[in-house]
């Protein structure tokens, strides 16, 4: 039985590309492995897969009694529900350390870089395994997506080096143009239900015993969201009523380099405590681009108090 390689819930391009790339690398190193996603892939990811000739990986919800490799997360809230009944072989990630533990040794490859695919690029190099052209293509797209074409504060030199090398392998001459194509696909929100938009790139966290969710929509122009904003606010309020202490939604304008924050919380002053800016939701936050770097640590610090 081959190992399941799977990224987080509400799969993004990195979760999907990392699963495909890690499964390829593991298989070539003698551990049969197959990529999966948890749930439906987003249009951006569908575009990237099609561009480089991949079918979307199958979706998986249960991993009990299976060998599993997790990519792009190590939080139980983002893993398959029965992850504790799986045999966890390893984790490849670029986030804060989550709360998954094991009773047996595992491999753990994590780097504080902009994308899990950057970690996997380094692993291919470390093991001297050649990266197939089409896999290089989707890894390249994942890094461009996760780093907001290098505009995110999560971007490192390792990501830039990986993009240069992967673009050459994939035969992509203008990676910035490819990045803009990806974000243009991501910006097409017309006709999509607000709830689907909220949960497309959404993560729940446990903070001081409370369930706190943060979603993010990254677009090339925040005006593209004007027509759906009212419905997004309603969707955030509805999600909060489903047993969450707080739900935040970041509407990130990658060109203006900031985010509008929609928040609904038990704590009416939470946004001001976290970001130090007075004002009511929705609130413009200049320079806030990254959930991982600009939001979660500050949010956790407030909940710890
Ligand atoms: Mg991800
Ligand atoms: Mg990632
Ligand atoms: Mg992201």
């Amino acid at each position: 039985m081959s190992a399941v390689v799977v990224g987080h819930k509400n799969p993004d391009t990195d979760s999907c590309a990392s699963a495909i790339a890690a499964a390829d690398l593991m298989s070539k190193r003698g551990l049969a492995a197959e990529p999966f996603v948890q749930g439906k892939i987003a249009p951006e990811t569908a575009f990237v897969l099609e561009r480089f000739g991949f079918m979307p990986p199958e979706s998986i919800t249960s991993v009990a009694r299976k060998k599993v490799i997790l990519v792009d997360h190590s939080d139980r809230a983002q893993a398959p529900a029965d992850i504790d009944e799986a045999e966890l072989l390893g984790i490849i990630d670029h986030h804060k350390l989550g709360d998954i533990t094991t009773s047996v040794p595992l491999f753990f490859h994590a780097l504080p870089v902009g994308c899990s695919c950057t970690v996997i690029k380094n692993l291919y190099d470390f093991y001297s395994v050649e990266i197939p052209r089409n896999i290089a293509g989707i890894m390249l797209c994942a890094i461009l997506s996760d780093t907001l074409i290098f505009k995110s504060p999560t971007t490192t030199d390792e990501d830039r080096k990986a993009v240069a090398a992967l673009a050459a392998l994939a035969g992509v001459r203008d990676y910035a143009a490819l990045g803009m194509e990806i974000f243009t696909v991501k910006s097409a929100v017309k006709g999509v239900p607000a709830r689907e938009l909220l949960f497309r790139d959404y993560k729940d966290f446990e903070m001081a015993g409370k369930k706190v969710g943060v979603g993010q929509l990254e677009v090339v122009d925040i005006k593209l969201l004007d027509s759906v904003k009212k419905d997004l606010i309603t969707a955030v309020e509805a999600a909060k009523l489903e047993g969450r202490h707080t739900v935040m939604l970041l509407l990130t304008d990658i060109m203006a380099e900031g985010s509008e924050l929609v928040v609904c919380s038990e704590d009416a002053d939470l946004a001001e405590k976290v970001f130090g800016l007075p004002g009511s939701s929705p609130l413009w936050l200049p320079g806030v681009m990254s959930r991982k770097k600009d939001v979660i640590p500050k949010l956790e610090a407030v909940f710890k108090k």
Side-chain angles (χ1 to χ4, degrees):
M1 187 180 60
S2 49
V4 169
V5 187
V6 67
H8 54 75
K9 286 175 183 157
N10 305 315
D12 57 5
T13 298
D14 186 25
S15 259
C16 184
S18 288
I20 292 172
D24 174 69
L25 176 61
M26 295 301 155
S27 297
K28 284 172 179 165
R29 299 203 68 248
L31 172 69
E34 266 182 79
F36 290 87
V37 288
Q38 292 190 68
K40 201 178 137 203
I41 59 166
E44 173 206 326
T45 308
F47 165 81
V48 166
L49 292 177
E50 207 197 306
R51 177 66 164 258
F52 291 96
F54 286 94
M55 294 292 287
E58 250 176 75
S59 178
I60 199 168
T61 48
S62 173
V63 293
R65 291 173 301 283
K66 293 191 163 87
K67 293 182 196 302
V68 174
I69 294 162
L70 297 179
V71 292
D72 204 33
H73 72 293
S74 67
D75 277 286
R76 306 180 65 212
Q78 293 160 30
D82 55 9
I83 187 67
D84 289 340
E85 295 163 56
E87 184 189 340
L88 187 59
L89 302 182
I91 297 174
I92 302 172
D93 195 20
H94 71 126
H95 292 85
K96 75 179 178 72
L97 188 57
D99 51 2
I100 286 174
T101 56
T102 64
S103 49
V104 292
L106 79 166
F107 70 76
F108 192 93
H109 298 291
L111 288 173
V113 294
C115 185
S116 294
C117 277
T118 301
V119 181
I120 297 172
K121 164 72 173 74
N122 288 4
L123 288 173
Y124 269 106
D125 293 346
F126 180 77
Y127 291 118
S128 301
V129 174
E130 213 175 295
I131 307 177
R133 183 185 171 100
N134 57 348
I135 290 184
I138 58 172
M139 290 171 75
L140 166 68
C141 291
I143 302 173
L144 294 171
S145 174
D146 259 16
T147 64
L148 308 179
I149 324 176
F150 300 155
K151 287 186 179 190
S152 168
T154 56
T155 310
T156 67
D157 280 344
E158 289 297 307
D159 301 301
R160 292 174 206 278
K161 272 195 275 176
V163 159
L166 292 167
L169 283 170
V172 172
R173 271 204 211 113
D174 188 348
Y175 68 77
L178 176 60
M180 281 308 283
E181 266 188 81
I182 293 168
F183 280 99
T184 303
V185 172
K186 199 169 197 172
S187 301
V189 297
K190 261 205 187 117
V192 186
R195 187 179 169 85
E196 190 180 324
L197 291 174
L198 167 63
F199 284 103
R200 192 175 266 179
D201 179 5
Y202 174 93
K203 288 174 181 172
D204 274 317
F205 298 87
E206 283 283 319
M207 296 192 190
K210 298 181 176 83
K211 195 169 176 182
V212 176
V214 184
Q216 185 172 27
L217 276 171
E218 295 149 339
V219 293
V220 289
D221 183 352
I222 200 159
K223 287 196 201 79
L224 293 165
L225 300 175
D226 282 352
S227 62
V228 288
K229 198 165 295 169
K230 253 182 69 185
D231 291 342
L232 285 173
I233 292 167
T234 308
V236 166
E237 288 163 356
K240 192 241 162 208
L241 290 176
E242 293 160 11
R244 296 180 176 94
H245 177 277
T246 297
V247 176
M248 288 186 169
L249 175 62
L250 295 163
L251 307 174
T252 301
D253 186 322
I254 69 165
M255 302 314 283
E257 302 192 17
S259 298
E260 195 169 277
L261 175 73
V262 177
V263 56
C264 187
S265 174
E266 296 282 310
D267 178 353
D269 303 322
L270 183 69
E272 186 167 350
K273 286 180 197 160
V274 173
F275 298 102
L277 290 173
S280 56
S281 170
L283 181 69
W284 175 253
L285 302 169
V288 169
M289 303 279 279
S290 163
R291 170 174 47 209
K292 178 195 295 156
K293 216 154 180 167
D294 297 324
V295 178
I296 300 304
K298 288 180 186 166
L299 202 49
E300 286 198 313
V302 169
F303 273 87
K304 265 183 200 149
K305 270 177 198 162

